[in-house]
Amino acid sequence: MQAPTAFTVIATNSITIKASWQTSPADSRRDIIKGFKLFYKKEGVVGLATEITINGSAVRTHYATGLDENTEYEFQVAAFTSAGDGPRSSVKVVRTVEDGKNTCLAFFC
């Protein structure tokens, strides 16, 4: 199993970041994925990341909310099967926006 691909993160407002990903065609065909784990933490902070378990292979988007305004966060995602976790994606870093500055258009996010 490979790490999820096309992994993107975007700040949607001052306290929310949207994470989206895809899987490789080979992993999708085998239908072995039971779900995904999303990991995030403030950039540069030592310690464990927040881990969100997303059951089911169809859901490939998650909104991390309650974040700090104008702060950089590191995100990674991994698929999991009945045998365990697959490899994590590369780290993506994104900064939440300043309060009152929405970065998304209603039809885009």
Side-chain angles (χ1 to χ4, degrees):
M1 177 174 36
Q2 298 177 355
T5 60
F7 180 45
T8 60
V9 289
I10 183 170
T12 60
N13 60 43
S14 62
I15 61 166
T16 305
I17 293 174
K18 176 186 175 185
S20 301
W21 58 90
Q22 296 297 321
T23 56
S24 74
D27 287 338
S28 294
R29 271 196 308 273
R30 288 187 293 213
D31 197 30
I32 59 172
I33 295 173
K34 301 294 182 193
F36 299 94
K37 291 184 180 178
L38 182 68
F39 304 89
Y40 64 92
K41 66 179 185 173
K42 288 182 185 180
E43 185 179 37
V45 172
V46 176
L48 295 176
T50 297
E51 180 180 323
I52 305 294
T53 299
I54 302 158
N55 290 309
S57 61
V59 177
R60 297 183 183 170
T61 299
H62 181 79
Y63 289 86
T65 61
L67 306 176
D68 292 339
E69 173 188 344
N70 199 26
T71 302
E72 287 189 328
Y73 285 86
E74 301 173 353
F75 280 77
Q76 288 182 289
V77 66
F80 66 87
T81 68
S82 56
D85 294 354
R88 291 186 185 187
S89 67
S90 60
V91 174
K92 300 287 184 172
V93 177
V94 65
R95 178 181 292 275
T96 54
V97 297
E98 292 180 47
D99 193 25
K101 295 184 178 179
N102 190 342
T103 62
C104 295
L105 301 172
F107 59 87
F108 184 67
C109 287

